[in-house]
Amino acid sequence: CRSINATPENRTNIDATDPLEVPSDVVKFAMFMRFLAPPQPATDDDAYIVHGRQLFSDVGCAMCHTPTLRTGKRIAVTALQDKDVNLYSDLSLHNMGSELADDIVQGNAGGDEFRTAPLWGLGKRIFFLHDGRTKDLLEAIQAHAGSGGGRYVPSEANQVIAQFQRLSEIDKQHLL
């Protein structure tokens, strides 16, 4: 007989039959997502890709969309400890100006602050920006520029976007 205060020993026992030990659908989905293989970046077989990666860094995109982060040593899942992750994000909050502002305050993030969206798997997406407002990657990049105004400061990305705009059209395509 199980005590009323008993807790399941194994919360990830997907074959459990006891209702107290069966993980919820949310837990199952989180486990599934946690162990999916990450999207694979394009290989360096093409000189245009290599050039585009260099431009991504030179223009300044990589300051926020950091190509690789490393997981910590104190992650609960041993298999995920101390691994390189090609996330293309610094996972930090940034002021993006009044044009992208949505006036939604979440935790410490103000209405014009957004956590850098990971760019991994970008080629598989059909909508861009935090709210999916565009299907055009070039438009999404340009939307990062934003003036201050009212209660918001100018976008932290203004200088990077200005550098992107100065690229030749072919270099913009290589970066994209």
Side-chain angles (χ1 to χ4, degrees), residues 59 138 141-143 145 158-169 172:
V59 164
L138 185 57
I141 291 169
Q142 292 166 339
N158 282 343
Q159 183 177 357
V160 173
I161 300 307
Q163 290 179 189
F164 176 79
Q165 298 291 24
R166 287 192 288 271
L167 292 175
S168 68
E169 289 306 311
K172 286 179 185 174

Side-chain angles (χ1 to χ4, degrees), residues 34-61:
R34 181 176 291 136
F35 292 107
L36 274 179
Q40 294 302 307
T43 61
D44 288 342
D45 297 341
D46 189 325
Y48 300 115
I49 291 173
V50 173
H51 183 61
R53 282 193 179 131
Q54 186 60 52
L55 288 168
F56 186 83
S57 180
D58 292 349
V59 164
C61 302

Side-chain angles (χ1 to χ4, degrees), residues 90-95 106 108-110 113-116 156:
D90 63 4
L91 300 176
S92 297
L93 287 175
H94 297 279
N95 294 97
Q106 293 181 323
N108 293 331
E113 291 181 297
F114 300 94
R115 193 165 308 283
T116 306
E156 293 178 35

Side-chain angles (χ1 to χ4, degrees), residues 5 20 29 66 89 92 98 108 120 143 146 160:
N5 295 324
L20 291 176
F29 181 72
T66 307
S89 173
S92 297
S98 57
N108 293 331
W120 67 352
V160 173

Side-chain angles (χ1 to χ4, degrees), residues 5 23-24 28-29 32 47-48 61 67-68 70-71 75-76 81 85 102 107 110 118 120 125 154 170 174:
N5 295 324
S24 71
K28 289 177 186 175
F29 181 72
F32 170 76
Y48 300 115
C61 302
T68 303
R70 190 151 187 92
T71 63
I75 293 177
Q81 292 177 358
V85 182
D102 60 9
W120 67 352
R125 295 188 195 161
I170 192 71
H174 290 163

